Amino acid sequence: MTDLTLRADEEISAVIEPLKHLPGALLPILHALQDRFGHVPKEAVPVVAKALNLSRAEVHGTISYYHHFRDEPAGRHVVQLCRAEACQAVGADALWAHAEGCKGEFTLEPVYCLGQCAIGPSMLIDEEIHAKVTPAKFDQLTAALRGAK
Ligand code: FES
């Protein structure tokens, strides 16, 4: 085991320890790990499973079930597209398919309602909301990210 792995393991344990005795500790632990590392590192799965006496599959299943959790570091920008019903009715599925085909310096994530249902499809780029997003508008907005920090 390298020093780096050892340090990561220690940091993972330091996040888990104070929370593991809470009732329903899995979600608070996953949130805390993502807050600390920006994602839930795959190395954390066996450590969490052991601490909570769960199987690795159960921990992994929870991470996959909740769209909020990511298992790898996010890109420099996070683009969240609304996939809920009202936005779906005005083209969010086609927009999602378009977005998935786009390469860029961003991580694409689904969200389920951004409270802007009347002016969908809705999208967040790094917490900034955009409405009535078409594929062309998506291209324009994400192209602007290239020069942005
Ligand atoms: S359904 Fe998309 S913002 Fe509400």
Side-chain angles (χ1 to χ4, degrees):
M1 189 180 283
T2 66
D3 282 357
L4 200 64
T5 327
L6 195 60
R7 201 164 60 228
D9 281 355
E10 282 169 6
E11 286 183 44
I12 289 167
S13 297
V15 171
I16 295 170
E17 278 306 308
L19 300 171
K20 73 179 189 185
H21 300 296
L22 292 177
L26 181 55
L27 287 177
I29 285 175
L30 295 177
H31 279 289
L33 286 166
Q34 183 150 302
D35 287 347
R36 169 67 186 82
F37 298 100
H39 67 294
V40 180
K42 41 179 186 311
E43 298 79 4
V45 171
V47 188
V48 173
K50 189 168 176 215
L52 300 183
N53 204 17
L54 297 170
S55 71
R56 290 177 188 203
E58 284 171 301
V59 176
H60 183 72
T62 304
I63 295 168
S64 322
Y65 179 77
Y66 290 98
H67 297 283
H68 171 73
F69 298 121
R70 50 177 93 89
D71 55 10
E72 51 187 49
R76 279 207 300 149
H77 301 281
V78 178
V79 173
Q80 297 179 302
L81 280 187
C82 178
R83 305 211 64 198
E85 216 168 285
C87 285
Q88 258 183 31
V90 289
D93 283 348
L95 182 62
W96 177 265
H98 174 78
E100 276 193 315
C102 294
K103 295 265 182 276
E105 294 181 30
F106 59 84
T107 296
L108 180 65
E109 294 178 345
V111 283
Y112 293 87
C113 197
L114 294 166
Q116 300 237 103
C117 315
I119 48 173
S122 302
M123 169 169 104
L124 276 179
I125 298 182
D126 297 336
E127 310 296 318
E128 190 183 330
I129 196 139
H130 299 274
K132 295 191 175 186
V133 182
T134 58
K137 187 170 174 181
F138 179 91
D139 289 348
Q140 208 176 22
L141 289 165
T142 53
L145 296 178
R146 278 183 206 115
K149 298 228 162 135

